[in-house]
Structures are given as C-alpha cells and as structure tokens.
Amino acid sequence: MKKITSISNLERFLSKRLMFISMPPLMEPLFKKVTNDRIVLVPTKFSSKDELENYSKEVRSKKEGIILGRGYVIDLIRGKVKLGEGSTTLSGNVLIFGYRKALKILDKHKVSDKVKVLEYSSLPFDNCVTYVPSLIAEAIRLQERDKLNDQIKVLNKFKLLLYKRPTSKDPIDALKESYRGSNLKEDWEKLTPKWKEVIHYYLDSSLGLLPGESERALENLSDYSSGYDLELSSPKYPEFVDLLDLSLRNLLNGKNVYVIGSLRSGKSTFASLLAKRFEELGFKVKIVDYHGIPQGYKYIEKLAEELNDKEPLIGVLTYDLYRVIRPKKGLMIKPGSRVIFSLTERKDLAVKIDKGVYDVPLSFLLTSENVDFDDYFFDYMFNVIFDADPNKVLWYLPLLKLAKDYGLPIPRMLSRISLEINGRKLDNDKDLILKWFSVVNRDIKIKISEEYGTDLIDTIDVNKIKKVLKEEIIKVLKPENSLSLIELYYYSLMDFNFLQVPNIGELRDYLTSGKKVNRMVKEILEELLPNLIENSSQRVEEICMSLRTRISTFKNTSQIDKEKMNEILEDTLLAPYKLVSEIKLVLSSKQSPPDCVETAIQITVSAVKGGRTEWVKSVIPDLIKRAKENTVFARLFSVIAYYYLMNEEDERLEEEIERLQDAYSIFPKSLIKYKRGELAHLEVQDPLWATILFGSLADYALSSKDLIKFAFLYEKFRRSATKVKEIPLNKDEALLLSDFLMTIPTTNSSLIYKELALLKKRLDAGIGYTLLLTHPKTESVRTTIELVEKLSNDWFSEVWKRVKEGDYTDEDCMDLIKMYQLKLMKSLANGEKYEYKTILQDVMDLKNICNQVKSSDIKGAIDIITNLSGVILNDRQEELIISGTSLDLAIYIGSLILLGRKDKQYFFNIIAKQIEERHPPDSLEVLLVQLIDALINEDKKRLEQKIEKMKDNYYSAMLEVLVKVLTDKRRAVLGLIPYIGMWHITGSRPRGLLY
C-alpha cells in the first residue's frame, strides 16, 4: 500500500500508464474540480453485474490516466477480487486523510470536544485507518447544534460493523449481527444519509456484494432488537481515536495488536484504552504488558511464553523486547509520536532535544520530570531482562562487563564466547537474554551494588574475551575474506545507518549485530589490519582497475555504460567503505604501480576535503611514506595534511611536514604555526600565495570561531589581497594553489581570482559580525552597527542573489537571518518605534524562500525566527517547532511566555534545565537563559545580577541593545531575536562535506 495524503497537483501522478487510486467512502466531493478525461471518478454503485463488467473492461482498456474510486470498487474493476469474495483492505495507491490534518481542521473551527468529532469521522479498514473530511464537517455542524452526542449514541450501536467482519452473507442479517440496540429500524432512520452510505459500503465490501446491493436490500428494514443498547465511552486523547479504531478492527478479526515504543511513551495508556473499548463492545481480551501495574515488571521469558497464546491479545512491549521475542504476526501500534504530539500540540509546541547531547527519548522527557533516564533504564533491564534476580545478573555478568567497557549491541557469538570462557555454559541456543544484548543499541549506565549482583563486574577479564575472539577470527582468516574484514573495519568508522553491511560470511555472528559493530570488534580489526592487508595484496591489480574505472566514470560520464555507472554510484553511496579499503590496500602495498597510487591519493584529497578524517587517519602513515617517493605525491600530501590538520591533532604528522622541502608544504606548515600560536612569525612573499594562504587560514579561524586569530589573519589577508595582480598562472600552479582554496581545484586562473573576491566579501562579513561580538563599552553601539553594515552589505547582496535563484546552501540562509538581525538591532539602537514591523514582515518570508534547508539546527532557527515574527506582528497561533538548538528553543519559548503564552513555562523549564546541565554556570547560554527566566518572573534583582555578569563576560552590541529595551516585555523579545543562531557567525562555512 502506498499512501497518498494530498490531492493538490494530482496531475503530477499522470504518466504514460494507467494508475488506480483507492479511497474510503465519501471522499468523492474532494475531486469535483479535478476530474476530466484523464482523471476519472468511478461510480459508487452498479445496477447489475453486467454493468460492472462492461464498465471494468472500458476502464482497463485505457492506456493512461488516473482512475479514482472506493477501495472495494477499484479492486473489482482491476480484477483483484471477485463478487462473492469481499475486500476490506485499501490496497495499491490509497488516499488517506491523517490525524494531523483532521486536528488542523478542528483547530481552524475552534472545536472544543475534538474526541467526539474524530470518533464520528474515523473509518478503519484491515490495513489502515483514515478520517473523512465530509464526516468531520457533518460532526462540526452537529456539535454546533448540540446534537453530536445524541448522534454518536445512535452511531455506536452500529459501530461493530466497522470493527468486525460479519459471518452472515445476507446484508440484513449481517447488519442485525453487528447491531447493538433495542430498535434497529428506528435507529437506522436516525442515522444521517452519509453514515448510511458508509454502512452500505462496509456491507457490500465485507460480503462481496455488487456495489449498491446492500442499499437496495436495506430499503425494507424490519424491526429488530439485540437485547441491549451499546454505550461506548470516549477516549481521553484525540490523538488516539483512529489508532483505537484500527486496533479494534484487527483484534476483532483475530489478529494480535502489539503496542510498541520506548520507555514511558504511552504504551500502557493506549493498551488500557483499547482493552476498555474492547470490553464495552462485549468481548474480553488479554493484555500482556512487560510492566503491568498490578503485577510489577514481567520477566522476558514469561513475556515470550504469554505472547504465544492462541487467542488474540494486546502485547505491550519496548522496541528491544519486540525485536528479541519476535511474537507472531499482528498489527504494530507505536503511540510514542502521538503522545509527544498530545503533550505538546495542546500547548501549540513540539520540542526536539539535541540527540547528540541528551540521549533521552522525548516522550520520556515530557512525561517524567525529575526522573533520571539512565536509572530508569537500568531498573527496567534489572526487572524485565534479569527478573530482578541478582544471581541471574551474576551469571550474565560478562555481558554487562562488555556493555560497560565496549558498549552495545554485542554480537551473538561474542556474547557466547564471553559467557563460556567465564564458566557459563548455555543450554539454549535461543537464549533471550543473550539475544537482548545483541539488539539493544544504547549505552547502559550500570548501577554497581551487591543488591543488583553487579558488585563483582570488574573481576571479569575483558582482555581474555578479546584474545579468544581474535583467535576465532585468525582461525578462519584467508585471502578470500580478508578484504571483507578490511571493509568491515572502515564500515565501523562511518556509522551511517543507511550503509550496507559488508558481507563477512561465517564471521557475521561473531562481529556484527544487525548494522552495528561493537567497539571491541573494531579494536581487533584495527590490530589485524596489517595481516588483512598482506592477505589481500594479490588483489592489488584488480583494485587498481576498480579505482581507475571510478575516476574515469566521473570524468567521462557520457561514455560509460549506464549499468556500470549505476553500480559504481550504488557502491559510492551505500558502500563507501569499499573505496576506502581499496585505497588503504593500494597505498600500503609495494606492488601498486605509481599511477594507481596517484589515483588513490587524489581520491584521498577529495575525501579529506569532505571531512572524512576518521578513515584518512588510518592511511596517514602510508601517505608519509609515499610523499618521499616523488614530487607529485609530496605536493598532494601537503594538500591532504593541510585539510586533515584542520580537524585532527597529529604530532607525528606535524613532525613529518616540518621535514618536507616542497614549496606547497608552506600551507600545512602555516597551519601548524596557527595551532602553536606562532602566527606572528608567518610571512609569505608572493602576494597571491599570501592571499590564498591567509584567506584560507582566516576562513578556518572563522569556522572555528577563533575570533582573535581570525582578526589577525583577516588583516593579513586584506593587505595581501590589495597587492594581487590578476595575471594568468601556468596550469600546474593554478591546479595546486586552487586545491588549498577550493573544493574542486581548477586550472583556470580567472576562477581562482573570482573565488578570492568572493572569499573577501565573506570574510568582510565575518569581521563585521566579530565587531558586534567584541563591541567595546566605550564605543557607540550605533557606530559599531553602521560599520558592520558597510562590511557586510556586499556579502548579504551575494547571498540574497543566490537564495532568490534557488542555488543556496543552508549557511546562506543563516547569513540572511544575520542580515535581518542586524537591521533589527539598528532599529532598536536608534529608538525607532515601528521600523521593526517592516523588518519582521520580511523575516516571515524566510521560511518560503529557504525551503530546501537540510540542517535541523538551521531549519529550527528559520522556523523560530519566522514564527516569532508572526506572533509579534499578528498575534497568530505559533506553529510547531520540531528542530533547533537548545538555546534557540529556550529563546523562542521564553519569548512566547513574555508575549503572554504562560502555558509554555513547562517546556521552558525542561530546556533551561538541559542547558544548565551541559554548560558551565558562567557560560553565555546559562546566563542568557537565567536572564530570560528573571525577566519572565519579573525578578528585578536577579535580572540586574545576570545583566552585570553578562556585561563582565560577554559584552556585545547585542547585549547593549537588549539592555536598552528590557523595560518593555514586547520590545525585550525584539532584543532577544539577535541571540537566535549565536552558534553561527556571518560568513562562516563548515570545513567538511559528507560523501
């Protein structure tokens, strides 16, 4: 099933073939304005079987176009099902109206009781669930007339038909089978025409009838009573309504429902709501919950046993438990994202915590104030995995020791080795605890205590385990698998989830867990690298051919076989470690011909410019040796060393560079002087070489936020740039010099001079922003801002041009934010009352013009500043923020509170706590958050203290402007806006790109 969630631009699906789109009933009104001779809406009912067959033949004879229709009707037309068989799934291309779109409509109409409206408009099928816009509209109208509750009471009497396929083959008998009330005929008449149409569709599709047949059969409905009236309670959370309907549909038709998620993500809450609705419908269901409240935690073996029950059940499991136990097939429900949406959307905000810094599921963070996640996870492991038994922990202690020292997951056979050499023999090849350690992908903070059986953990000798695993690898080591193991080593350095795992054959269970490589395995492979390379040396000629093919492919794309090109591209994207392994082998082997070595070094130059220093590091010793062989290798080595040392510290490499006599070694040698603080001794005579060198180093200092060195180098760059005469260079010199300036080197001299002119504009803007950050107390802030404007305007014009043409980087969009922030500061510094409105109006367009941004932090900064502008100008409801740095989010939420949105205080507290935990007490981040908090709480004394501390440590033009406007909360928010995106300095660009 392929979901289609929008009908706008339906023409984009048109192609030279016939396309079918299935949908639930009552969606037809959405297509009134889009149907034509190429977009066809099929009838909802037919008067005879012949009419259906003739229409089906006519449609299938079309060679192209889009055929839209109700799921069952489309299946009949396509021949997917036959009359008499029935079809209660929506298959193929399916139009779905999701819960977020439904909630947006309810927000737009200011609906108070969202749950009732959603209950009225949700339709479940075997494989999906959807809301129906026309039913939403009808429910809103009924609610406005205070008739919705009564209508839902009537509708609930027929709801079982939506959940359970009837066994009767006659439509009237099937309706009676599903009805739960005292007067069928009377209740049927109370239903709206739309809901009658829905029930007709469910009867036709469930029983395999001719579309329209049940409508004709129900015209003469007689009286009937089931003996009681069904009453269903409404769930508390609107976000769960459709998930409950889908779950009920599956449970009542014999399938298990597994509620899956991270810790504290609403799993048990959802399961209890589901069980309650199930029982209200007159059925009983078993819940198997790993942490059922009455029973406490449940042991993993017990869980696995109970999940094998033959009767349909509700299983409540964490992701890791589900992957370990692998229960029989069923519907998986993941309520976590709905819980986050539920907790945040009602406050009109979704928060993303920086994963790299705060490795805690957001649902846990939002539901567990003042609970430590690491402690909570350990308790979960102790109770569920080890059955709260210290003796069991003691038995599996080698696995916990591996987890403590080398992290998780642990390959299955490595776990077995660690147990066996410590005197633990496994009787069961499918040991669930061992499997759990091979599945969990997070570090565990282990509580050391006799109470938990962990007090002896450090008596386990991991070196002994490591030795045995290494011996196991050596036993099966041969030329055929050595290259694969080299590939696995480089794969372990890359850590991208989308990469294909190298095929290592029989060693797979020893060395990998899914797509992960344990740190112990990585260490062993690194130690074995010389042996692996020696074993693979006879493949050098084959590998050289591969490298040459890669280079020629990208140089002569028009002459290469398309299939070969696709194969190389797939390897480059999904298995880049293959290329790295080949380079390592070529550079290390004595059998490699010089042209092949040069090719390998050229590829390494591209890699190091792209920031891939983690694997370049392993070929540095080989490059040092190769640099001594000839001038070409030495010059390329200078390029590699220059970019490598921008990201890494390597004393041995620095020593080798000092010995180089090549003219181009001045670049890495100058970088070494930069790092040692010896810039004062840096002199270059040739103006062009000096301009490239100082410009490149200034760019490095800017990206590193090393403002003092940046200012020094900028001045050197500026002076040398004035002496440059644009004379043609010989091609070799141009190529090598441009390698230190540009990502892709060139032999075209004019391109080098053009790049230098662009670099000057960018560095001018960078020095301008630096002046804002280092603005002296004795200087007029207006004067500083005006100077910054002059320095930055050329670069801002360049960026604005690129953005308008759609040819921009993420950082270009951040520079536009800096441009608007500068304009806003100027307006506030000049005391202008209304100029900010024009500026913020322009800011609001940023989201539209910078709509291709990939960086979550930059996208977050754009969302934050544009949404905040909308709130300030129009008092509009703020939109969801799903990304951004912690400080930017704190400024955003704090600003909303200052603007009157008091319900955001909880979120501000969460992020403020995160910032205070990860930054020093006197850092700008902590002081700024505390200043905002003092401003929110109108604590003048504390506010003055924070201002003074910021003046002492972080005096800037931003601070001076902010202090000017603090007496007025609305203008204080304007003063906080320049602090958004403080992590980006105008003109700075990241040093490395990915593959």
Side-chain angles (χ1 to χ4, degrees):
M1 181 184 78
K2 180 182 178 182
K3 289 183 181 179
I4 297 172
T5 57
S6 173
I7 63 165
S8 60
N9 301 320
L10 197 61
E11 289 84 359
R12 73 186 186 278
F13 293 111
L14 287 169
S15 61
K16 293 181 180 179
R17 64 185 182 89
L18 194 60
M19 179 181 181
F20 291 89
I21 298 179
S22 297
M23 56 188 180
L26 304 181
M27 289 285 206
E28 291 81 9
L30 297 176
F31 299 95
K32 282 181 181 176
K33 295 180 181 178
V34 298
T35 51
N36 52 47
D37 59 334
R38 297 186 70 201
I39 301 177
V40 178
L41 197 60
V42 304
T44 60
K45 50 193 174 184
F46 296 88
S47 57
S48 68
K49 184 179 177 182
D50 287 344
E51 184 188 0
L52 171 64
E53 287 177 355
N54 291 334
Y55 185 83
S56 300
K57 286 177 185 175
E58 181 188 334
V59 168
R60 290 199 297 267
S61 69
K62 290 178 178 288
K63 292 184 178 177
E64 59 181 67
I66 296 175
I67 311 299
L68 299 152
R70 298 182 178 181
Y72 174 54
V73 180
I74 290 289
D75 284 350
L76 286 170
I77 290 170
R78 295 180 68 189
K80 294 281 184 181
V81 296
K82 297 176 182 178
L83 289 176
E85 293 177 351
S87 172
T88 52
T89 62
L90 293 180
S91 59
N93 302 299
V94 178
L95 181 66
I96 295 291
F97 198 82
Y99 81 102
R100 290 200 178 194
K101 282 192 172 183
L103 286 171
K104 275 190 176 180
I105 291 176
L106 304 194
D107 286 336
K108 184 179 177 182
H109 289 273
K110 295 182 168 53
V111 172
S112 55
D113 192 346
K114 293 179 181 178
V115 170
K116 294 286 186 187
V117 173
L118 295 174
E119 280 188 295
Y120 190 84
S121 52
S122 166
L123 297 184
F125 300 89
D126 291 350
N127 60 331
C128 63
V129 63
T130 181
Y131 289 103
V132 177
S134 59
L135 289 177
I136 292 173
E138 184 168 87
I140 291 171
R141 288 194 297 272
L142 287 166
Q143 194 172 69
E144 287 169 351
R145 302 201 306 267
D146 291 329
K147 293 184 177 180
L148 182 59
N149 286 344
D150 291 338
Q151 196 62 42
I152 285 177
K153 284 181 182 178
V154 174
L155 177 60
N156 284 343
K157 297 175 185 180
F158 297 90
K159 263 290 180 68
L160 192 57
L161 179 63
L162 273 62
Y163 299 141
K164 192 173 189 297
R165 285 189 293 272
T167 55
S168 307
K169 295 297 180 184
D170 177 77
I172 292 179
D173 290 341
L175 186 63
K176 288 178 179 178
E177 183 184 329
S178 304
Y179 174 71
R180 294 293 183 270
S182 53
N183 194 322
L184 175 61
K185 187 175 182 180
E186 185 180 302
D187 287 332
W188 177 256
E189 292 305 320
K190 288 178 183 177
L191 288 176
T192 66
K194 281 185 172 58
W195 260 104
K196 286 181 181 176
E197 195 172 339
V198 170
I199 289 173
H200 292 148
Y201 174 83
Y202 270 83
L203 287 170
D204 287 341
S205 59
S206 298
L207 307 180
L209 304 177
L210 183 73
E213 188 173 335
S214 63
E215 180 182 355
R216 293 186 285 274
L218 296 182
E219 285 176 354
N220 300 310
L221 199 59
S222 60
D223 219 358
Y224 170 77
S225 171
S226 68
Y228 66 96
D229 286 346
L230 179 68
E231 290 191 11
L232 299 176
S233 59
S234 295
K236 182 179 178 182
Y237 304 107
E239 294 78 14
F240 285 167
V241 170
D242 57 337
L243 293 183
L244 287 170
D245 281 349
L246 179 63
S247 301
L248 288 164
R249 174 87 195 175
N250 279 266
L251 269 177
L252 285 163
N253 287 294
K255 283 188 177 179
N256 287 353
V257 171
Y258 302 109
V259 190
I260 314 294
S262 55
L263 299 175
R264 299 294 293 268
S265 60
K267 303 181 297 298
S268 295
T269 300
F270 180 84
S272 62
L273 291 171
L274 178 57
K276 182 180 180 184
R277 174 63 64 97
F278 200 81
E279 289 174 8
E280 287 174 343
L281 286 165
F283 303 90
K284 288 197 173 181
V285 67
K286 177 181 177 181
I287 297 181
V288 179
D289 190 339
Y290 75 95
H291 64 344
I293 299 303
Q295 304 87 12
Y297 285 100
K298 195 167 284 185
Y299 178 42
I300 189 171
E301 296 279 2
K302 182 69 174 171
L303 276 171
E305 182 186 321
E306 291 185 10
L307 286 168
N308 277 328
D309 201 315
K310 292 180 181 179
E311 294 299 315
L313 54 80
I314 302 169
V316 180
L317 301 167
T318 56
Y319 289 116
D320 48 280
L321 288 173
Y322 182 81
R323 289 175 63 197
V324 170
I325 295 171
R326 292 286 178 194
K328 67 180 182 181
K329 286 185 179 180
L331 174 70
M332 281 181 64
I333 295 291
K334 301 174 184 178
S337 61
R338 302 288 182 100
V339 169
I340 294 169
F341 191 80
S342 170
L343 291 170
T344 56
E345 172 65 2
R346 278 181 257 136
K347 299 173 177 63
D348 312 311
L349 177 74
V351 181
K352 171 181 169 280
I353 302 302
D354 302 331
K355 288 183 181 176
V357 182
Y358 211 87
D359 188 21
V360 178
L362 182 52
S363 54
F364 183 92
L365 200 61
L366 292 170
T367 57
S368 314
E369 195 171 8
N370 299 322
V371 177
D372 183 82
F373 181 77
D374 288 328
D375 288 346
Y376 194 90
F377 190 87
F378 180 84
D379 290 341
Y380 154 75
M381 177 183 70
F382 180 67
N383 286 282
V384 177
I385 308 305
F386 295 115
D387 200 22
D389 183 354
N391 292 318
K392 202 173 251 105
V393 172
L394 191 60
W395 203 86
Y396 286 98
L397 204 56
L399 302 189
L400 282 170
K401 176 62 174 175
L402 281 177
K404 177 175 175 278
D405 290 2
Y406 291 96
L408 294 172
I410 303 169
R412 191 172 59 83
M413 290 306 294
L414 174 54
S415 291
R416 180 178 282 276
I417 287 170
S418 68
L419 291 173
E420 287 177 353
I421 66 172
N422 282 283
R424 280 84 159 167
K425 187 176 179 182
L426 283 173
D427 297 323
N428 180 7
D429 283 341
K430 295 182 180 178
D431 184 283
L432 292 180
I433 297 178
L434 184 144
K435 191 176 178 184
W436 185 83
F437 276 89
S438 75
V439 160
V440 176
N441 184 22
R442 65 164 296 113
D443 287 339
I444 301 173
K445 183 181 173 183
I446 297 170
K447 295 180 183 179
I448 309 298
S449 165
E450 187 178 351
E451 176 190 354
Y452 297 111
T454 55
D455 52 316
L456 299 175
I457 193 167
D458 289 325
T459 63
I460 303 295
D461 186 354
V462 288
N463 289 322
K464 191 175 171 186
I465 298 170
K466 185 177 176 181
K467 182 173 178 281
V468 173
L469 177 60
K470 192 172 181 178
E471 288 167 356
E472 289 292 331
I473 297 171
I474 291 170
K475 270 185 207 173
V476 296
L477 206 55
K478 49 196 173 195
E480 291 78 25
N481 63 10
S482 291
L483 186 57
S484 295
L485 292 175
I486 297 173
E487 289 175 358
L488 183 66
Y489 171 68
Y490 284 107
Y491 168 86
S492 73
L493 297 182
M494 292 177 181
D495 195 28
F496 294 128
N497 287 329
F498 61 82
L499 297 183
Q500 294 172 344
V501 184
N503 181 8
I504 52 173
E506 59 190 308
L507 287 170
R508 187 184 64 180
D509 289 340
Y510 286 85
L511 307 182
T512 62
S513 307
K515 288 198 162 193
K516 296 294 178 181
V517 179
N518 187 269
R519 292 199 295 270
M520 176 181 278
V521 173
K522 187 174 168 181
E523 281 184 13
I524 292 171
L525 290 174
E526 188 170 7
E527 291 168 10
L528 288 174
L529 214 49
N531 307 64
L532 298 173
I533 289 166
E534 187 179 345
N535 271 5
S536 307
S537 59
Q538 75 274 21
R539 300 185 64 177
V540 166
E541 189 177 334
E542 168 198 338
I543 286 166
C544 283
M545 183 65 72
S546 168
L547 291 179
R548 291 187 194 105
T549 303
R550 286 172 186 270
I551 291 291
S552 62
T553 296
F554 291 107
K555 283 184 177 177
N556 308 290
T557 52
S558 60
Q559 299 171 25
I560 297 292
D561 175 62
K562 190 175 180 181
E563 190 174 325
K564 186 66 181 173
M565 168 75 96
N566 289 338
E567 184 185 326
I568 290 171
L569 283 172
E570 186 175 332
D571 261 6
T572 303
L573 293 171
L574 300 180
Y577 49 80
K578 287 186 179 180
L579 174 60
V580 182
S581 305
E582 290 172 358
I583 287 170
K584 176 66 179 177
L585 200 52
V586 167
L587 292 176
S588 304
S589 175
K590 293 176 183 177
Q591 284 80 34
S592 302
D595 69 314
C596 184
V597 174
E598 185 178 345
T599 298
I601 298 175
Q602 288 280 14
I603 294 171
T604 308
V605 169
S606 298
V608 77
K609 283 186 175 184
R612 308 312 304 162
T613 53
E614 71 273 24
W615 69 259
V616 172
K617 184 177 185 177
S618 73
V619 298
I620 289 292
D622 307 298
L623 289 166
I624 290 170
K625 290 176 187 175
R626 295 292 183 181
K628 296 171 184 175
E629 293 178 11
N630 61 50
T631 307
V632 174
F633 294 174
R635 289 181 177 180
L636 290 172
F637 176 61
S638 289
V639 178
I640 292 169
Y642 185 62
Y643 286 98
Y644 180 79
L645 288 173
M646 284 182 171
N647 297 293
E648 298 287 337
E649 299 296 331
D650 192 322
E651 288 183 10
R652 185 191 167 193
L653 178 58
E654 290 179 11
E655 289 170 8
E656 293 293 337
I657 288 165
E658 296 289 4
R659 296 191 188 101
L660 282 177
Q661 298 302 312
D662 180 70
Y664 293 90
S665 66
I666 190 173
F667 285 90
K669 285 174 181 176
S670 299
L671 180 58
I672 293 168
K673 281 187 169 67
Y674 172 100
K675 290 189 166 192
R676 292 175 181 172
E678 299 170 0
L679 286 176
H681 307 295
L682 192 57
E683 293 296 335
V684 183
Q685 297 305 315
D686 184 284
L688 179 58
W689 281 55
T691 304
I692 292 174
L693 175 59
F694 293 134
S696 178
L697 284 176
D699 191 20
Y700 172 65
L702 184 61
S703 68
S704 305
K705 299 182 179 64
D706 195 339
L707 301 186
I708 295 172
K709 288 179 181 175
F710 169 61
F712 176 85
L713 289 162
Y714 169 79
E715 187 58 24
K716 289 257 190 187
F717 165 76
R718 189 185 64 78
R719 287 180 181 177
S720 59
T722 59
K723 300 174 186 174
V724 172
K725 294 178 182 178
E726 295 192 15
I727 56 174
L729 306 171
N730 72 62
K731 289 188 176 182
D732 287 343
E733 185 181 14
L735 192 64
L736 276 161
L737 275 178
S738 63
D739 236 340
F740 294 99
L741 179 68
M742 304 161 72
T743 305
I744 301 172
T746 180
T747 56
N748 187 331
S749 301
S750 62
L751 289 179
I752 294 174
Y753 295 123
K754 186 179 177 182
E755 184 69 21
L756 282 173
L758 194 63
L759 178 61
K760 184 178 184 306
K761 290 179 184 179
R762 191 154 61 80
L763 296 182
D764 284 347
I767 204 70
Y769 195 77
T770 303
L771 290 174
L772 291 177
L773 296 173
T774 56
H775 164 67
K777 297 178 184 179
T778 54
E779 196 70 52
S780 160
V781 73
R782 294 185 195 179
T783 304
T784 297
I785 290 171
E786 284 172 9
L787 177 57
V788 173
E789 266 193 322
K790 286 178 185 175
L791 286 164
S792 307
N793 280 341
D794 284 348
W795 177 244
F796 286 150
S797 298
E798 186 71 35
V799 168
W800 183 246
K801 178 185 171 187
R802 295 210 295 241
V803 170
K804 282 204 294 187
E805 291 172 352
D807 184 23
Y808 59 87
T809 66
D810 289 4
E811 289 73 28
D812 288 336
C813 292
M814 273 309 297
D815 284 346
L816 282 187
I817 287 179
K818 298 299 171 185
M819 179 182 77
Y820 288 124
Q821 288 173 329
L822 186 61
K823 288 182 177 182
L824 186 59
M825 287 172 64
K826 182 179 179 181
S827 164
L828 295 174
N830 290 335
E832 293 164 352
K833 286 189 176 182
Y834 304 111
E835 178 65 19
Y836 76 88
K837 293 187 177 181
T838 306
I839 298 165
L840 295 187
Q841 197 65 52
D842 291 339
V843 168
M844 288 173 67
D845 290 334
L846 264 180
K847 193 179 286 189
N848 294 325
I849 61 176
C850 283
N851 56 11
Q852 301 300 318
V853 168
K854 298 177 183 65
S855 162
S856 61
D857 288 345
I858 294 176
K859 188 176 186 307
I862 292 168
D863 287 346
I864 284 167
I865 199 167
T866 53
N867 290 342
L868 200 50
S869 298
V871 176
I872 294 167
L873 291 178
N874 309 319
D875 198 31
R876 75 179 186 193
Q877 184 172 350
E878 62 277 5
E879 297 177 24
L880 293 179
I881 300 296
I882 58 171
S883 58
T885 65
S886 298
L887 182 60
D888 286 352
L889 285 165
I891 293 168
Y892 176 64
I893 301 168
S895 296
L896 293 178
I897 298 169
L898 291 170
L899 292 169
R901 314 290 168 93
K902 300 291 184 185
D903 55 345
K904 305 295 184 295
Q905 189 67 53
Y906 176 67
F907 295 99
F908 181 81
N909 293 345
I910 287 176
I911 296 176
K913 181 184 176 187
Q914 177 187 343
I915 290 170
E916 287 173 345
E917 284 177 355
R918 59 179 270 219
H919 292 287
D922 286 337
S923 65
L924 173 63
E925 291 84 357
V926 171
L927 291 175
L928 187 58
V929 165
Q930 290 174 348
L931 182 149
I932 295 169
D933 188 55
L935 199 56
I936 289 168
N937 293 300
E938 299 180 357
D939 187 337
K940 290 183 180 179
K941 185 177 178 182
R942 187 162 172 255
L943 181 62
E944 287 171 4
Q945 289 172 349
K946 299 307 167 187
I947 291 170
E948 287 308 310
K949 275 199 172 185
M950 287 183 73
K951 282 182 177 179
D952 290 341
N953 299 301
Y954 306 102
Y955 199 88
S956 65
M958 292 85 163
L959 181 61
E960 189 167 328
V961 170
L962 176 61
V963 171
K964 277 177 178 283
V965 294
L966 281 179
T967 53
D968 181 296
K969 284 188 177 180
R970 191 175 190 82
R971 292 185 76 77
V973 170
L974 296 173
L976 286 169
I977 287 176
Y979 280 97
I980 293 168
M982 282 286 284
W983 40 270
H984 175 82
I985 297 175
T986 310
S988 65
R989 294 296 180 267
R991 295 303 313 173
L993 307 169
L994 294 178
Y995 285 103

